[in-house]
Amino acid sequence: NAGVTQTPKFQVLKTGQSMTLQCAQDMNHEYMSWYRQDPGMGLRLIHYSVGAGITDQGEVPNGYNVSRSTTEDFPLRLLSAAPSQTSVYFCASSYLAGVEKLFFGSGTQLSVL
Amino acid sequence: SQQGEEDPQALSIQEGENATMNCSYKTSINNLQWYRQNSGRGLVHLILIRSNEREKHSGRLRVTLDTSKKSSSLLITASRAADTASYFCALGGTSYGKLTFGQGTILTVHP
């Protein structure tokens, strides 16, 4: 099994550009989420989904959109990139929305110039 | 939302020594989890302890939870150079669908 797959691994954007970070899992997990990791800030939850068609906001949702049309995929969209969105982004999934064990992707390092 | 506070921020030890990391929090939790992150990689789940448990073991890992003091500790016994990583506590059950992470402890184990 591939587990949680994130693409791309690295991305450089200019301010104002939009892009989509892809996340796919092959474990039939109900729960999927996006975190960003900044130095000294730990991981902060952006958006999460407890099943197909259901999404909700996390701690830092502004500037990001998500959708969950299938169980497997949970893309994260940056609408108009800003330098403050320079970060490492992690997608994570869990069997249940009780979130008792998260499986993480390998991350996307995003730089916004 | 609440976040775990980890202590120390960084820990440097020799191979064979024990490493202890602490996590404190402010409100009620359902469970507390510990994760490891090797440099540049995704996090890996280590262990989960529920609010009605006081101690849990997994290999060289020992986790304790004191709900009266709202704190947890992760002990790694007989550390190895391969244990060098960042360790994060994560609070579960404070809000449905959300797992909140602390800022992490950077552990360096010198051979």
Side-chain angles (χ1 to χ4, degrees):
Chain A
N1 286 342
V4 179
T5 302
Q6 287 184 238
T7 57
K9 292 189 183 302
F10 302 94
Q11 183 70 48
V12 179
L13 292 177
K14 294 181 180 179
T15 297
Q17 287 185 316
S18 62
M19 79 158 295
T20 299
L21 279 62
Q22 302 291 344
C23 176
Q25 53 89 10
D26 61 0
M27 297 173 282
N28 200 31
H29 282 174
E30 182 179 293
Y31 178 90
M32 296 185 74
S33 57
W34 278 100
Y35 286 86
R36 59 178 287 173
Q37 184 176 29
D38 302 294
M41 301 288 287
L43 278 81
R44 292 182 292 170
L45 182 63
I46 304 171
H47 285 285
Y48 65 98
S49 168
V50 299
I54 306 169
T55 64
D56 206 345
Q57 297 181 349
E59 185 183 358
V60 287
N62 292 341
Y64 308 95
N65 270 0
V66 292
S67 60
R68 184 101 178 264
S69 57
T70 67
T71 300
E72 294 79 19
D73 300 298
F74 191 45
L76 178 72
R77 298 182 186 85
L78 279 69
L79 308 173
S80 177
S84 61
Q85 293 179 306
T86 294
S87 188
V88 180
Y89 291 85
F90 288 100
C91 179
S93 70
S94 176
Y95 182 59
L96 293 174
V99 199
E100 296 206 337
K101 178 179 179 179
L102 278 176
F103 292 80
F104 279 81
S106 56
T108 296
Q109 188 167 327
L110 175 68
S111 294
V112 183
L113 307 177
Chain B
S1 61
Q2 77 157 327
Q3 185 179 27
E5 294 186 10
E6 300 193 52
D7 172 65
Q9 290 185 322
L11 182 60
S12 181
I13 59 174
Q14 296 295 128
E15 219 170 18
E17 294 180 340
N18 294 342
T20 300
M21 290 157 265
N22 304 295
C23 175
S24 61
Y25 56 94
K26 294 182 179 178
T27 62
S28 298
I29 59 172
N30 185 19
N31 64 73
L32 190 145
Q33 303 175 37
W34 287 90
Y35 288 78
R36 183 187 71 221
Q37 182 181 34
N38 291 93
S39 181
R41 307 286 292 274
L43 280 71
V44 175
H45 183 268
L46 294 175
I47 197 165
L48 177 151
I49 187 166
R50 301 186 188 281
S51 59
N52 61 353
E53 297 176 313
R54 292 297 168 258
E55 187 171 314
K56 209 162 184 180
H57 296 255
S58 177
R60 293 183 297 111
L61 305 180
R62 172 179 169 245
V63 169
T64 60
L65 179 64
D66 187 335
T67 53
S68 65
K69 294 181 179 179
K70 293 186 168 53
S71 68
S72 174
S73 66
L74 171 67
L75 168 67
I76 304 175
T77 60
S79 296
R80 305 166 182 169
D83 294 327
T84 294
S86 293
Y87 291 81
F88 294 86
C89 68
L91 308 178
T94 56
S95 181
Y96 182 70
K98 297 181 181 178
L99 188 66
T100 56
F101 285 81
Q103 296 178 352
T105 294
I106 301 172
L107 173 66
T108 304
V109 182
H110 300 282

